[in-house]
Amino acid sequence: MKILLLGKNGQVGWELQRSLAPLGELLALDSRSQDYCGDLNDLTGLSATVRRFAPDVIVNAAAYTAVDKAESEPQLARRVNAEAPAVLAREAKRLNALLVHYSTDYVFAGNGDTPWLENDPVAPLSVYGSSKLEGEQAIQASGCSHLIFRTSWVYAARGNNFAKTMLRLSRERDSLNVIDDQFGAPTGADLLADVTAHAIRTLRQQPELGGLYHFAAAGETTWCRYARFVLEQAQVAGVDLKVTPTMVGAITTEAYPTPVKRPNNSRLNTQKLQNAFELRLPDWQAGVARMLIETLEK
Ligand code: NDP
């Protein structure tokens, strides 16, 4: 099997390099790749890459993910998140290849307290959310074989993440206040990558399983409770903290304004994914605890 991976150095892309490698011949690109164009801002180059490599599977982990900045760069966000996936879908259809793509709970209005289902009405609040929705719709309209995973609250061991920021701040500062009215489930890039590899293999045997799936770790939390969990784990590991878990203050979204309003409800109902691929998604705490052990051991 020939696999083309785009966005190889992002949180999910990095883990996909590991999880896709055993499946076949992997060509992994980023926007700076030289031999093949991996720049989603270059639609002609992107299409030439797919035609030349002729993959059986295209996995698109590249995206314009700067949520606030997208408001001032809507054209670039749209090119990368909507037009480039449309090109990939067109080329996948031509080759009869499978296209795997990632999307977000930001396609929803973010209200209520029920986990979103795949067919719930969409109503993005931001340029980022709209551009990601447009990308999904282009793939669906193309008629190519596809898997779209809508996920949320992604973290990775590599690079910066929320947990590492909380650890640093709790050692540096005397107090810490964190938003307690946004709900979701922290989802590891490693989990996304491993399940992606499993789903690609399953789809080879059962192509009828293609489609749109919600994908997040099990359970739910808020950023504040997530922060407290991180600090509890750090304490158990013997880390000296100035701000202990019980000292973390709970604040509302209004108290921490951002240029783009974040959804209060990022919960995703993942039953469809678990049933289709015979999976059981682990509780979010398991992945976060594991990532913290790796972080704290360094
Ligand atoms: P990252 O921001 O970690 O990675 C995105 C990657 O895309 C980066 O490596 C970036 O490279 C690359 N990229 C940006 N612009 C281009 C371009 N023009 N050409 C090629 N590559 C480009 O994101 P994640 O790994 O976290 O996200 C993976 C997917 O999951 C995305 O589709 C995202 O929308 C979705 N998602 C993410 C969530 C999250 O919490 N992070 C939540 C919900 C969904 P560079 O840094 O060099 O620009």
mmCIF file with all atom_site columns, all heavy atoms in Angstrom, residues 9-12 31-32 38-41 61-63 65 80 102-104 128 132 151-152 154, ligand 1:
data_model
loop_
_atom_site.group_PDB
_atom_site.id
_atom_site.type_symbol
_atom_site.label_atom_id
_atom_site.label_alt_id
_atom_site.label_comp_id
_atom_site.label_asym_id
_atom_site.label_entity_id
_atom_site.label_seq_id
_atom_site.pdbx_PDB_ins_code
_atom_site.Cartn_x
_atom_site.Cartn_y
_atom_site.Cartn_z
_atom_site.occupancy
_atom_site.B_iso_or_equiv
_atom_site.pdbx_formal_charge
_atom_site.auth_seq_id
_atom_site.auth_comp_id
_atom_site.auth_asym_id
_atom_site.auth_atom_id
_atom_site.pdbx_PDB_model_num
ATOM   1   N N   . ASN A 1 9   ? 4.693   17.097 10.445 1.00 0.00 ? 9   ASN A N   1
ATOM   2   C CA  . ASN A 1 9   ? 5.300   17.591 11.686 1.00 0.00 ? 9   ASN A CA  1
ATOM   3   C C   . ASN A 1 9   ? 4.317   18.244 12.647 1.00 0.00 ? 9   ASN A C   1
ATOM   4   O O   . ASN A 1 9   ? 4.722   18.792 13.662 1.00 0.00 ? 9   ASN A O   1
ATOM   5   C CB  . ASN A 1 9   ? 6.451   18.562 11.365 1.00 0.00 ? 9   ASN A CB  1
ATOM   6   C CG  . ASN A 1 9   ? 7.653   17.804 10.856 1.00 0.00 ? 9   ASN A CG  1
ATOM   7   O OD1 . ASN A 1 9   ? 7.986   16.729 11.380 1.00 0.00 ? 9   ASN A OD1 1
ATOM   8   N ND2 . ASN A 1 9   ? 8.283   18.307 9.806  1.00 0.00 ? 9   ASN A ND2 1
ATOM   9   N N   . GLY A 1 10  ? 3.049   18.170 12.366 1.00 0.00 ? 10  GLY A N   1
ATOM   10  C CA  . GLY A 1 10  ? 2.047   18.658 13.317 1.00 0.00 ? 10  GLY A CA  1
ATOM   11  C C   . GLY A 1 10  ? 1.874   17.627 14.430 1.00 0.00 ? 10  GLY A C   1
ATOM   12  O O   . GLY A 1 10  ? 2.507   16.566 14.420 1.00 0.00 ? 10  GLY A O   1
ATOM   13  N N   . GLN A 1 11  ? 1.022   17.956 15.396 1.00 0.00 ? 11  GLN A N   1
ATOM   14  C CA  . GLN A 1 11  ? 0.809   17.029 16.529 1.00 0.00 ? 11  GLN A CA  1
ATOM   15  C C   . GLN A 1 11  ? 0.379   15.649 16.024 1.00 0.00 ? 11  GLN A C   1
ATOM   16  O O   . GLN A 1 11  ? 0.962   14.627 16.374 1.00 0.00 ? 11  GLN A O   1
ATOM   17  C CB  . GLN A 1 11  ? -0.293  17.555 17.450 1.00 0.00 ? 11  GLN A CB  1
ATOM   18  C CG  . GLN A 1 11  ? -0.007  18.860 18.129 1.00 0.00 ? 11  GLN A CG  1
ATOM   19  C CD  . GLN A 1 11  ? -1.012  19.129 19.226 1.00 0.00 ? 11  GLN A CD  1
ATOM   20  O OE1 . GLN A 1 11  ? -0.757  18.875 20.394 1.00 0.00 ? 11  GLN A OE1 1
ATOM   21  N NE2 . GLN A 1 11  ? -2.177  19.637 18.870 1.00 0.00 ? 11  GLN A NE2 1
ATOM   22  N N   . VAL A 1 12  ? -0.644  15.636 15.187 1.00 0.00 ? 12  VAL A N   1
ATOM   23  C CA  . VAL A 1 12  ? -1.180  14.360 14.697 1.00 0.00 ? 12  VAL A CA  1
ATOM   24  C C   . VAL A 1 12  ? -0.258  13.779 13.624 1.00 0.00 ? 12  VAL A C   1
ATOM   25  O O   . VAL A 1 12  ? 0.010   12.574 13.604 1.00 0.00 ? 12  VAL A O   1
ATOM   26  C CB  . VAL A 1 12  ? -2.625  14.560 14.172 1.00 0.00 ? 12  VAL A CB  1
ATOM   27  C CG1 . VAL A 1 12  ? -3.188  13.265 13.602 1.00 0.00 ? 12  VAL A CG1 1
ATOM   28  C CG2 . VAL A 1 12  ? -3.531  15.064 15.296 1.00 0.00 ? 12  VAL A CG2 1
ATOM   29  N N   . SER A 1 31  ? 5.172   21.445 4.607  1.00 0.00 ? 31  SER A N   1
ATOM   30  C CA  . SER A 1 31  ? 5.093   22.556 3.642  1.00 0.00 ? 31  SER A CA  1
ATOM   31  C C   . SER A 1 31  ? 6.453   22.902 3.053  1.00 0.00 ? 31  SER A C   1
ATOM   32  O O   . SER A 1 31  ? 6.529   23.540 2.017  1.00 0.00 ? 31  SER A O   1
ATOM   33  C CB  . SER A 1 31  ? 4.468   23.784 4.298  1.00 0.00 ? 31  SER A CB  1
ATOM   34  O OG  . SER A 1 31  ? 5.244   24.181 5.403  1.00 0.00 ? 31  SER A OG  1
ATOM   35  N N   . ARG A 1 32  ? 7.524   22.473 3.722  1.00 0.00 ? 32  ARG A N   1
ATOM   36  C CA  . ARG A 1 32  ? 8.868   22.806 3.244  1.00 0.00 ? 32  ARG A CA  1
ATOM   37  C C   . ARG A 1 32  ? 9.525   21.676 2.454  1.00 0.00 ? 32  ARG A C   1
ATOM   38  O O   . ARG A 1 32  ? 10.667  21.799 2.035  1.00 0.00 ? 32  ARG A O   1
ATOM   39  C CB  . ARG A 1 32  ? 9.761   23.208 4.425  1.00 0.00 ? 32  ARG A CB  1
ATOM   40  C CG  . ARG A 1 32  ? 9.427   24.586 4.995  1.00 0.00 ? 32  ARG A CG  1
ATOM   41  C CD  . ARG A 1 32  ? 10.064  24.830 6.334  1.00 0.00 ? 32  ARG A CD  1
ATOM   42  N NE  . ARG A 1 32  ? 9.530   23.949 7.361  1.00 0.00 ? 32  ARG A NE  1
ATOM   43  C CZ  . ARG A 1 32  ? 8.386   24.167 8.015  1.00 0.00 ? 32  ARG A CZ  1
ATOM   44  N NH1 . ARG A 1 32  ? 7.674   25.234 7.768  1.00 0.00 ? 32  ARG A NH1 1
ATOM   45  N NH2 . ARG A 1 32  ? 7.963   23.318 8.933  1.00 0.00 ? 32  ARG A NH2 1
ATOM   46  N N   . GLY A 1 38  ? 4.526   19.662 -0.577 1.00 0.00 ? 38  GLY A N   1
ATOM   47  C CA  . GLY A 1 38  ? 3.606   19.304 0.501  1.00 0.00 ? 38  GLY A CA  1
ATOM   48  C C   . GLY A 1 38  ? 2.933   20.532 1.067  1.00 0.00 ? 38  GLY A C   1
ATOM   49  O O   . GLY A 1 38  ? 2.434   20.514 2.185  1.00 0.00 ? 38  GLY A O   1
ATOM   50  N N   . ASP A 1 39  ? 2.916   21.612 0.274  1.00 0.00 ? 39  ASP A N   1
ATOM   51  C CA  . ASP A 1 39  ? 2.367   22.888 0.740  1.00 0.00 ? 39  ASP A CA  1
ATOM   52  C C   . ASP A 1 39  ? 0.892   22.983 0.334  1.00 0.00 ? 39  ASP A C   1
ATOM   53  O O   . ASP A 1 39  ? 0.577   23.054 -0.865 1.00 0.00 ? 39  ASP A O   1
ATOM   54  C CB  . ASP A 1 39  ? 3.185   24.031 0.128  1.00 0.00 ? 39  ASP A CB  1
ATOM   55  C CG  . ASP A 1 39  ? 2.734   25.389 0.627  1.00 0.00 ? 39  ASP A CG  1
ATOM   56  O OD1 . ASP A 1 39  ? 1.762   25.451 1.416  1.00 0.00 ? 39  ASP A OD1 1
ATOM   57  O OD2 . ASP A 1 39  ? 3.343   26.393 0.217  1.00 0.00 ? 39  ASP A OD2 1
ATOM   58  N N   . LEU A 1 40  ? 0.009   23.025 1.321  1.00 0.00 ? 40  LEU A N   1
ATOM   59  C CA  . LEU A 1 40  ? -1.428  23.076 1.019  1.00 0.00 ? 40  LEU A CA  1
ATOM   60  C C   . LEU A 1 40  ? -1.861  24.436 0.496  1.00 0.00 ? 40  LEU A C   1
ATOM   61  O O   . LEU A 1 40  ? -3.007  24.616 0.075  1.00 0.00 ? 40  LEU A O   1
ATOM   62  C CB  . LEU A 1 40  ? -2.265  22.676 2.248  1.00 0.00 ? 40  LEU A CB  1
ATOM   63  C CG  . LEU A 1 40  ? -2.541  21.167 2.352  1.00 0.00 ? 40  LEU A CG  1
ATOM   64  C CD1 . LEU A 1 40  ? -1.293  20.395 2.675  1.00 0.00 ? 40  LEU A CD1 1
ATOM   65  C CD2 . LEU A 1 40  ? -3.631  20.875 3.356  1.00 0.00 ? 40  LEU A CD2 1
ATOM   66  N N   . ASN A 1 41  ? -0.931  25.391 0.523  1.00 0.00 ? 41  ASN A N   1
ATOM   67  C CA  . ASN A 1 41  ? -1.224  26.694 -0.042 1.00 0.00 ? 41  ASN A CA  1
ATOM   68  C C   . ASN A 1 41  ? -0.939  26.710 -1.545 1.00 0.00 ? 41  ASN A C   1
ATOM   69  O O   . ASN A 1 41  ? -1.267  27.661 -2.233 1.00 0.00 ? 41  ASN A O   1
ATOM   70  C CB  . ASN A 1 41  ? -0.348  27.725 0.686  1.00 0.00 ? 41  ASN A CB  1
ATOM   71  C CG  . ASN A 1 41  ? -0.795  29.133 0.446  1.00 0.00 ? 41  ASN A CG  1
ATOM   72  O OD1 . ASN A 1 41  ? -1.962  29.374 0.098  1.00 0.00 ? 41  ASN A OD1 1
ATOM   73  N ND2 . ASN A 1 41  ? 0.108   30.071 0.615  1.00 0.00 ? 41  ASN A ND2 1
ATOM   74  N N   . ALA A 1 61  ? -3.047  15.476 7.503  1.00 0.00 ? 61  ALA A N   1
ATOM   75  C CA  . ALA A 1 61  ? -2.964  15.979 8.886  1.00 0.00 ? 61  ALA A CA  1
ATOM   76  C C   . ALA A 1 61  ? -2.571  17.450 8.905  1.00 0.00 ? 61  ALA A C   1
ATOM   77  O O   . ALA A 1 61  ? -2.394  18.030 9.979  1.00 0.00 ? 61  ALA A O   1
ATOM   78  C CB  . ALA A 1 61  ? -1.961  15.152 9.675  1.00 0.00 ? 61  ALA A CB  1
ATOM   79  N N   . ALA A 1 62  ? -2.403  18.056 7.736  1.00 0.00 ? 62  ALA A N   1
ATOM   80  C CA  . ALA A 1 62  ? -2.048  19.479 7.664  1.00 0.00 ? 62  ALA A CA  1
ATOM   81  C C   . ALA A 1 62  ? -3.313  20.318 7.769  1.00 0.00 ? 62  ALA A C   1
ATOM   82  O O   . ALA A 1 62  ? -4.361  19.944 7.242  1.00 0.00 ? 62  ALA A O   1
ATOM   83  C CB  . ALA A 1 62  ? -1.335  19.781 6.346  1.00 0.00 ? 62  ALA A CB  1
ATOM   84  N N   . ALA A 1 63  ? -3.198  21.428 8.444  1.00 0.00 ? 63  ALA A N   1
ATOM   85  C CA  . ALA A 1 63  ? -4.338  22.342 8.550  1.00 0.00 ? 63  ALA A CA  1
ATOM   86  C C   . ALA A 1 63  ? -3.857  23.696 9.032  1.00 0.00 ? 63  ALA A C   1
ATOM   87  O O   . ALA A 1 63  ? -2.794  23.798 9.656  1.00 0.00 ? 63  ALA A O   1
ATOM   88  C CB  . ALA A 1 63  ? -5.382  21.794 9.530  1.00 0.00 ? 63  ALA A CB  1
ATOM   89  N N   . THR A 1 65  ? -4.399  25.908 11.784 1.00 0.00 ? 65  THR A N   1
ATOM   90  C CA  . THR A 1 65  ? -5.032  25.659 13.086 1.00 0.00 ? 65  THR A CA  1
ATOM   91  C C   . THR A 1 65  ? -4.988  26.849 14.044 1.00 0.00 ? 65  THR A C   1
ATOM   92  O O   . THR A 1 65  ? -5.393  26.714 15.195 1.00 0.00 ? 65  THR A O   1
ATOM   93  C CB  . THR A 1 65  ? -4.372  24.438 13.783 1.00 0.00 ? 65  THR A CB  1
ATOM   94  O OG1 . THR A 1 65  ? -2.960  24.664 13.844 1.00 0.00 ? 65  THR A OG1 1
ATOM   95  C CG2 . THR A 1 65  ? -4.652  23.150 13.036 1.00 0.00 ? 65  THR A CG2 1
ATOM   96  N N   . VAL A 1 80  ? -6.094  26.535 2.816  1.00 0.00 ? 80  VAL A N   1
ATOM   97  C CA  . VAL A 1 80  ? -5.486  25.345 3.432  1.00 0.00 ? 80  VAL A CA  1
ATOM   98  C C   . VAL A 1 80  ? -6.560  24.379 3.945  1.00 0.00 ? 80  VAL A C   1
ATOM   99  O O   . VAL A 1 80  ? -6.430  23.161 3.789  1.00 0.00 ? 80  VAL A O   1
ATOM   100 C CB  . VAL A 1 80  ? -4.538  25.782 4.582  1.00 0.00 ? 80  VAL A CB  1
ATOM   101 C CG1 . VAL A 1 80  ? -3.997  24.569 5.335  1.00 0.00 ? 80  VAL A CG1 1
ATOM   102 C CG2 . VAL A 1 80  ? -3.391  26.628 4.029  1.00 0.00 ? 80  VAL A CG2 1
ATOM   103 N N   . TYR A 1 102 ? -9.003  15.237 8.904  1.00 0.00 ? 102 TYR A N   1
ATOM   104 C CA  . TYR A 1 102 ? -9.405  15.544 10.281 1.00 0.00 ? 102 TYR A CA  1
ATOM   105 C C   . TYR A 1 102 ? -10.181 16.858 10.310 1.00 0.00 ? 102 TYR A C   1
ATOM   106 O O   . TYR A 1 102 ? -9.822  17.814 9.622  1.00 0.00 ? 102 TYR A O   1
ATOM   107 C CB  . TYR A 1 102 ? -8.176  15.638 11.198 1.00 0.00 ? 102 TYR A CB  1
ATOM   108 C CG  . TYR A 1 102 ? -7.400  14.346 11.181 1.00 0.00 ? 102 TYR A CG  1
ATOM   109 C CD1 . TYR A 1 102 ? -6.385  14.136 10.234 1.00 0.00 ? 102 TYR A CD1 1
ATOM   110 C CD2 . TYR A 1 102 ? -7.731  13.304 12.042 1.00 0.00 ? 102 TYR A CD2 1
ATOM   111 C CE1 . TYR A 1 102 ? -5.712  12.926 10.170 1.00 0.00 ? 102 TYR A CE1 1
ATOM   112 C CE2 . TYR A 1 102 ? -7.060  12.085 11.980 1.00 0.00 ? 102 TYR A CE2 1
ATOM   113 C CZ  . TYR A 1 102 ? -6.060  11.914 11.037 1.00 0.00 ? 102 TYR A CZ  1
ATOM   114 O OH  . TYR A 1 102 ? -5.407  10.706 10.963 1.00 0.00 ? 102 TYR A OH  1
ATOM   115 N N   . SER A 1 103 ? -11.226 16.871 11.100 1.00 0.00 ? 103 SER A N   1
ATOM   116 C CA  . SER A 1 103 ? -11.987 18.102 11.278 1.00 0.00 ? 103 SER A CA  1
ATOM   117 C C   . SER A 1 103 ? -12.224 18.314 12.772 1.00 0.00 ? 103 SER A C   1
ATOM   118 O O   . SER A 1 103 ? -11.572 17.669 13.601 1.00 0.00 ? 103 SER A O   1
ATOM   119 C CB  . SER A 1 103 ? -13.271 18.072 10.459 1.00 0.00 ? 103 SER A CB  1
ATOM   120 O OG  . SER A 1 103 ? -13.872 19.353 10.479 1.00 0.00 ? 103 SER A OG  1
ATOM   121 N N   . THR A 1 104 ? -13.150 19.159 13.097 1.00 0.00 ? 104 THR A N   1
ATOM   122 C CA  . THR A 1 104 ? -13.217 19.703 14.463 1.00 0.00 ? 104 THR A CA  1
ATOM   123 C C   . THR A 1 104 ? -14.645 19.900 14.960 1.00 0.00 ? 104 THR A C   1
ATOM   124 O O   . THR A 1 104 ? -15.566 20.093 14.158 1.00 0.00 ? 104 THR A O   1
ATOM   125 C CB  . THR A 1 104 ? -12.487 21.073 14.478 1.00 0.00 ? 104 THR A CB  1
ATOM   126 O OG1 . THR A 1 104 ? -12.764 21.756 15.684 1.00 0.00 ? 104 THR A OG1 1
ATOM   127 C CG2 . THR A 1 104 ? -12.925 21.962 13.320 1.00 0.00 ? 104 THR A CG2 1
ATOM   128 N N   . TYR A 1 128 ? -12.071 29.828 11.313 1.00 0.00 ? 128 TYR A N   1
ATOM   129 C CA  . TYR A 1 128 ? -11.462 28.484 11.379 1.00 0.00 ? 128 TYR A CA  1
ATOM   130 C C   . TYR A 1 128 ? -12.551 27.409 11.245 1.00 0.00 ? 128 TYR A C   1
ATOM   131 O O   . TYR A 1 128 ? -12.430 26.500 10.415 1.00 0.00 ? 128 TYR A O   1
ATOM   132 C CB  . TYR A 1 128 ? -10.701 28.329 12.705 1.00 0.00 ? 128 TYR A CB  1
ATOM   133 C CG  . TYR A 1 128 ? -10.257 26.911 12.991 1.00 0.00 ? 128 TYR A CG  1
ATOM   134 C CD1 . TYR A 1 128 ? -9.218  26.321 12.275 1.00 0.00 ? 128 TYR A CD1 1
ATOM   135 C CD2 . TYR A 1 128 ? -10.880 26.144 13.979 1.00 0.00 ? 128 TYR A CD2 1
ATOM   136 C CE1 . TYR A 1 128 ? -8.803  25.015 12.529 1.00 0.00 ? 128 TYR A CE1 1
ATOM   137 C CE2 . TYR A 1 128 ? -10.471 24.840 14.244 1.00 0.00 ? 128 TYR A CE2 1
ATOM   138 C CZ  . TYR A 1 128 ? -9.441  24.279 13.518 1.00 0.00 ? 128 TYR A CZ  1
ATOM   139 O OH  . TYR A 1 128 ? -9.052  22.983 13.769 1.00 0.00 ? 128 TYR A OH  1
ATOM   140 N N   . LYS A 1 132 ? -13.005 24.768 8.106  1.00 0.00 ? 132 LYS A N   1
ATOM   141 C CA  . LYS A 1 132 ? -12.930 23.313 8.305  1.00 0.00 ? 132 LYS A CA  1
ATOM   142 C C   . LYS A 1 132 ? -14.215 22.637 7.802  1.00 0.00 ? 132 LYS A C   1
ATOM   143 O O   . LYS A 1 132 ? -14.180 21.566 7.211  1.00 0.00 ? 132 LYS A O   1
ATOM   144 C CB  . LYS A 1 132 ? -12.694 22.982 9.781  1.00 0.00 ? 132 LYS A CB  1
ATOM   145 C CG  . LYS A 1 132 ? -11.344 23.406 10.325 1.00 0.00 ? 132 LYS A CG  1
ATOM   146 C CD  . LYS A 1 132 ? -10.161 22.667 9.711  1.00 0.00 ? 132 LYS A CD  1
ATOM   147 C CE  . LYS A 1 132 ? -10.126 21.193 10.047 1.00 0.00 ? 132 LYS A CE  1
ATOM   148 N NZ  . LYS A 1 132 ? -8.900  20.554 9.467  1.00 0.00 ? 132 LYS A NZ  1
ATOM   149 N N   . THR A 1 151 ? -12.509 15.812 15.613 1.00 0.00 ? 151 THR A N   1
ATOM   150 C CA  . THR A 1 151 ? -11.981 15.604 16.950 1.00 0.00 ? 151 THR A CA  1
ATOM   151 C C   . THR A 1 151 ? -11.972 16.906 17.733 1.00 0.00 ? 151 THR A C   1
ATOM   152 O O   . THR A 1 151 ? -12.489 17.932 17.262 1.00 0.00 ? 151 THR A O   1
ATOM   153 C CB  . THR A 1 151 ? -10.590 14.930 16.871 1.00 0.00 ? 151 THR A CB  1
ATOM   154 O OG1 . THR A 1 151 ? -10.156 14.603 18.179 1.00 0.00 ? 151 THR A OG1 1
ATOM   155 C CG2 . THR A 1 151 ? -9.565  15.819 16.188 1.00 0.00 ? 151 THR A CG2 1
ATOM   156 N N   . SER A 1 152 ? -11.408 16.864 18.942 1.00 0.00 ? 152 SER A N   1
ATOM   157 C CA  . SER A 1 152 ? -11.403 18.067 19.795 1.00 0.00 ? 152 SER A CA  1
ATOM   158 C C   . SER A 1 152 ? -10.268 17.979 20.805 1.00 0.00 ? 152 SER A C   1
ATOM   159 O O   . SER A 1 152 ? -9.780  16.893 21.112 1.00 0.00 ? 152 SER A O   1
ATOM   160 C CB  . SER A 1 152 ? -12.722 18.166 20.560 1.00 0.00 ? 152 SER A CB  1
ATOM   161 O OG  . SER A 1 152 ? -12.785 17.135 21.518 1.00 0.00 ? 152 SER A OG  1
ATOM   162 N N   . VAL A 1 154 ? -7.040  18.358 21.099 1.00 0.00 ? 154 VAL A N   1
ATOM   163 C CA  . VAL A 1 154 ? -5.925  17.455 20.788 1.00 0.00 ? 154 VAL A CA  1
ATOM   164 C C   . VAL A 1 154 ? -4.650  17.903 21.517 1.00 0.00 ? 154 VAL A C   1
ATOM   165 O O   . VAL A 1 154 ? -4.330  19.091 21.541 1.00 0.00 ? 154 VAL A O   1
ATOM   166 C CB  . VAL A 1 154 ? -5.665  17.418 19.261 1.00 0.00 ? 154 VAL A CB  1
ATOM   167 C CG1 . VAL A 1 154 ? -4.460  16.539 18.936 1.00 0.00 ? 154 VAL A CG1 1
ATOM   168 C CG2 . VAL A 1 154 ? -6.897  16.912 18.524 1.00 0.00 ? 154 VAL A CG2 1
HETATM 169 P P1  . NDP B 2 .   ? -1.013  21.258 14.317 1.00 0.00 ? 1   NDP B P1  1
HETATM 170 O O1  . NDP B 2 .   ? -1.226  22.727 14.312 1.00 0.00 ? 1   NDP B O1  1
HETATM 171 O O2  . NDP B 2 .   ? -0.148  20.640 15.361 1.00 0.00 ? 1   NDP B O2  1
HETATM 172 O O3  . NDP B 2 .   ? -0.452  20.776 12.914 1.00 0.00 ? 1   NDP B O3  1
HETATM 173 C C1  . NDP B 2 .   ? -0.927  21.289 11.716 1.00 0.00 ? 1   NDP B C1  1
HETATM 174 C C2  . NDP B 2 .   ? 0.176   21.098 10.722 1.00 0.00 ? 1   NDP B C2  1
HETATM 175 O O4  . NDP B 2 .   ? -0.276  21.650 9.480  1.00 0.00 ? 1   NDP B O4  1
HETATM 176 C C3  . NDP B 2 .   ? 1.477   21.809 11.092 1.00 0.00 ? 1   NDP B C3  1
HETATM 177 O O5  . NDP B 2 .   ? 2.544   20.909 11.025 1.00 0.00 ? 1   NDP B O5  1
HETATM 178 C C4  . NDP B 2 .   ? 1.593   22.897 10.037 1.00 0.00 ? 1   NDP B C4  1
HETATM 179 O O6  . NDP B 2 .   ? 2.925   23.092 9.665  1.00 0.00 ? 1   NDP B O6  1
HETATM 180 C C5  . NDP B 2 .   ? 0.814   22.291 8.915  1.00 0.00 ? 1   NDP B C5  1
HETATM 181 N N1  . NDP B 2 .   ? 0.444   23.295 7.935  1.00 0.00 ? 1   NDP B N1  1
HETATM 182 C C6  . NDP B 2 .   ? -0.101  24.518 8.133  1.00 0.00 ? 1   NDP B C6  1
HETATM 183 N N2  . NDP B 2 .   ? -0.227  25.160 6.966  1.00 0.00 ? 1   NDP B N2  1
HETATM 184 C C7  . NDP B 2 .   ? 0.257   24.325 6.021  1.00 0.00 ? 1   NDP B C7  1
HETATM 185 C C8  . NDP B 2 .   ? 0.424   24.422 4.626  1.00 0.00 ? 1   NDP B C8  1
HETATM 186 N N3  . NDP B 2 .   ? 0.090   25.518 3.933  1.00 0.00 ? 1   NDP B N3  1
HETATM 187 N N4  . NDP B 2 .   ? 0.964   23.374 3.966  1.00 0.00 ? 1   NDP B N4  1
HETATM 188 C C9  . NDP B 2 .   ? 1.344   22.262 4.625  1.00 0.00 ? 1   NDP B C9  1
HETATM 189 N N5  . NDP B 2 .   ? 1.222   22.122 5.946  1.00 0.00 ? 1   NDP B N5  1
HETATM 190 C C10 . NDP B 2 .   ? 0.686   23.144 6.632  1.00 0.00 ? 1   NDP B C10 1
HETATM 191 O O7  . NDP B 2 .   ? -2.452  20.614 14.333 1.00 0.00 ? 1   NDP B O7  1
HETATM 192 P P2  . NDP B 2 .   ? -2.951  19.208 14.901 1.00 0.00 ? 1   NDP B P2  1
HETATM 193 O O8  . NDP B 2 .   ? -1.983  18.141 14.564 1.00 0.00 ? 1   NDP B O8  1
HETATM 194 O O9  . NDP B 2 .   ? -3.354  19.417 16.313 1.00 0.00 ? 1   NDP B O9  1
HETATM 195 O O10 . NDP B 2 .   ? -4.275  19.052 14.033 1.00 0.00 ? 1   NDP B O10 1
HETATM 196 C C11 . NDP B 2 .   ? -4.487  17.972 13.138 1.00 0.00 ? 1   NDP B C11 1
HETATM 197 C C12 . NDP B 2 .   ? -5.893  18.064 12.622 1.00 0.00 ? 1   NDP B C12 1
HETATM 198 O O11 . NDP B 2 .   ? -6.808  17.977 13.683 1.00 0.00 ? 1   NDP B O11 1
HETATM 199 C C13 . NDP B 2 .   ? -6.227  19.362 11.877 1.00 0.00 ? 1   NDP B C13 1
HETATM 200 O O12 . NDP B 2 .   ? -7.063  19.062 10.791 1.00 0.00 ? 1   NDP B O12 1
HETATM 201 C C14 . NDP B 2 .   ? -6.998  20.171 12.897 1.00 0.00 ? 1   NDP B C14 1
HETATM 202 O O13 . NDP B 2 .   ? -7.893  21.068 12.276 1.00 0.00 ? 1   NDP B O13 1
HETATM 203 C C15 . NDP B 2 .   ? -7.725  19.070 13.634 1.00 0.00 ? 1   NDP B C15 1
HETATM 204 N N6  . NDP B 2 .   ? -8.114  19.406 14.992 1.00 0.00 ? 1   NDP B N6  1
HETATM 205 C C16 . NDP B 2 .   ? -7.174  19.834 15.910 1.00 0.00 ? 1   NDP B C16 1
HETATM 206 C C17 . NDP B 2 .   ? -7.552  20.145 17.203 1.00 0.00 ? 1   NDP B C17 1
HETATM 207 C C18 . NDP B 2 .   ? -6.560  20.611 18.233 1.00 0.00 ? 1   NDP B C18 1
HETATM 208 O O14 . NDP B 2 .   ? -6.959  20.797 19.395 1.00 0.00 ? 1   NDP B O14 1
HETATM 209 N N7  . NDP B 2 .   ? -5.285  20.787 17.892 1.00 0.00 ? 1   NDP B N7  1
HETATM 210 C C19 . NDP B 2 .   ? -8.951  20.022 17.640 1.00 0.00 ? 1   NDP B C19 1
HETATM 211 C C20 . NDP B 2 .   ? -9.848  19.573 16.602 1.00 0.00 ? 1   NDP B C20 1
HETATM 212 C C21 . NDP B 2 .   ? -9.419  19.269 15.350 1.00 0.00 ? 1   NDP B C21 1
HETATM 213 P P3  . NDP B 2 .   ? 3.702   24.435 10.120 1.00 0.00 ? 1   NDP B P3  1
HETATM 214 O O15 . NDP B 2 .   ? 3.711   24.408 11.614 1.00 0.00 ? 1   NDP B O15 1
HETATM 215 O O16 . NDP B 2 .   ? 5.025   24.254 9.475  1.00 0.00 ? 1   NDP B O16 1
HETATM 216 O O17 . NDP B 2 .   ? 2.898   25.556 9.559  1.00 0.00 ? 1   NDP B O17 1
#
